[in-house]
Amino acid sequence: MDILKSKAIQSFIKIADMGWQMGWHEINGGNMSYRMTSDEADEVKENFRSDGEWKEIGKDVAVPDFAGQYFVVTGSGKYFQNVKDNPEDSFCIITVNNSGDKYKIVWGLSNGGRPTSEISAHLLTHSIKAKATGGKYRVVYHSHPKYTNILTYILPLKSEVFTRELWEMMTECSIVFPNGVGVMDWKVPCCAEIGIATGRLMEKYDAVIWPHHGLVCSGEKLDMAFGIMHTIEKAAEMLVNVMQITGGKKAQTITPDNFRAIEKDFNLNFSEEFLYEK
Ligand code: 2HA
Ligand code: ZN
């Protein structure tokens, strides 16, 4: 099968292009990975090359559960802007070795290159999420959305504050990300350290904010991870607008008891830390 006709690859291209259209991927900003099902990989395996070199994923990073699995991953230094018109040059498919500490490119990056510099954050998050969801979660998506980033200069860098403030912006936010949003300390991008810290927060959250940088979302499918990112960014934009108009004072808002009512009717289990009295 022509690899570009595969549904999994088409969906990867579509979501990457949507992210670009949203303005979340200036120059080479952002990265995305998708863990293929074995059927999806089998369907396109005839296109894979076997001469790739095994390379280390990152210091102290190993994901042995993924031995032999395949990931579609954007390329380091590549532009989301070009994914649609030049897919073979913009992303790749990698596989993981038996000890889980090395990867090899089997398709793509036709003009050379390597997978995203945030490969550690991606694979560690995949590992944690796959374990926590019985293998359902397959996507890690990182972008640089403007308003989410603006809030990291305004709000205290606390998961409970970001979660509560974003939840208050639209009733359905608490249903879209019921586990809240994790907020990390600022870290240098592109190293194992940011990956390990992200993975740790992903044990609890589906979305993690990197202050003054961007957002990482995980989900079952590409449209779901994109949807969580979109919802968070829209809520962040609304909060920035409210602050611009009122200086942060709200005439009324969704109250902790309102959230408890949502929790009950939607059968959710909110952490009480998000429902603090102000
Ligand atoms: O340039 O977004 O965090 C890719 C990135 C690194
Ligand atoms: Zn980034």
Side-chain angles (χ1 to χ4, degrees):
M1 171 188 228
D2 175 354
I3 200 159
L4 297 176
K5 295 223 164 82
S6 133
K7 278 220 171 77
I9 299 294
Q10 283 187 353
S11 164
F12 191 89
I13 294 171
K14 179 182 158 195
I15 296 294
D17 193 58
M18 281 168 64
W20 157 248
Q21 304 283 348
M22 297 301 286
W24 299 340
H25 297 283
E26 74 291 336
I27 192 160
N28 63 328
N31 29 72
M32 188 162 78
S33 63
Y34 171 73
R35 185 168 58 88
M36 300 176 91
T37 66
S38 49
D39 284 351
E40 286 165 346
D42 286 346
E43 203 176 54
V44 297
K45 257 184 189 158
E46 69 201 75
N47 299 276
F48 291 174
R49 49 184 192 251
S50 55
D51 59 347
E53 231 181 279
W54 291 107
K55 301 236 166 91
E56 192 172 78
I57 293 168
K59 196 173 163 295
D60 302 327
V61 177
V63 288
D65 293 351
F66 293 146
Q69 294 207 39
Y70 294 92
F71 293 82
V72 190
V73 192
T74 50
S76 175
K78 298 293 179 178
Y79 297 9
F80 272 60
Q81 178 185 4
N82 296 334
V83 165
K84 191 166 151 219
D85 292 332
N86 208 351
E88 273 192 78
D89 174 58
S90 304
F91 62 89
C92 60
I93 299 176
I94 60 166
T95 190
V96 173
N97 70 348
N98 282 336
S99 43
D101 57 350
K102 293 199 168 82
Y103 73 85
K104 176 168 89 169
I105 296 175
V106 298
W107 181 87
L109 290 176
S110 51
N111 295 304
R114 53 191 167 85
T116 170
S117 53
E118 307 290 7
I119 190 74
S120 305
H122 280 253
L123 291 178
L124 286 171
T125 300
H126 276 293
S127 166
I128 282 152
K129 287 302 187 188
K131 269 194 209 110
T133 64
K136 279 196 190 138
Y137 272 40
R138 294 187 171 275
V139 180
V140 178
Y141 178 27
H142 163 59
S143 82
H144 297 171
K146 172 175 167 183
Y147 292 96
T148 304
N149 218 2
I150 291 175
L151 288 182
T152 67
Y153 298 88
I154 299 173
L155 297 179
L157 297 178
K158 293 199 160 124
S159 304
E160 63 274 20
V161 175
F162 269 77
T163 299
R164 175 68 172 279
E165 292 300 325
L166 293 170
W167 277 9
E168 282 187 31
M169 285 301 109
M170 287 190 292
T171 294
E172 300 205 359
C173 281
S174 64
I175 302 163
V176 174
F177 45 102
N179 300 330
V181 180
V183 182
M184 219 164 76
D185 296 336
W186 184 89
K187 293 214 181 312
V188 177
C190 89
C191 316
E193 199 196 326
I194 198 170
I196 291 165
T198 305
R200 223 173 272 138
L201 281 173
M202 280 290 184
E203 289 183 8
K204 185 163 171 195
Y205 306 100
D206 285 345
V208 172
I209 291 172
W210 290 351
H212 323 323
H213 181 157
L215 181 59
V216 187
C217 294
S218 183
E220 276 181 44
K221 299 213 164 118
L222 286 154
D223 57 0
M224 179 176 165
F226 183 93
I228 295 171
M229 178 102 48
H230 190 193
T231 309
I232 290 173
E233 173 62 357
K234 182 173 174 186
E237 180 173 0
M238 290 169 70
L239 183 55
V240 170
N241 291 161
V242 169
M243 286 169 154
Q244 283 169 326
I245 296 164
T246 71
K249 276 200 210 89
K250 299 168 195 155
Q252 55 278 317
T253 187
I254 308 168
T255 66
D257 279 345
N258 295 152
F259 287 119
R260 289 188 184 101
I262 294 173
E263 187 181 20
K264 185 159 166 277
D265 284 0
F266 280 81
N267 223 350
L268 296 165
N269 194 5
F270 296 152
S271 168
E272 271 298 309
E273 74 193 298
F274 303 139
L275 303 182
Y276 53 87
E277 288 305 323
K278 289 193 192 172

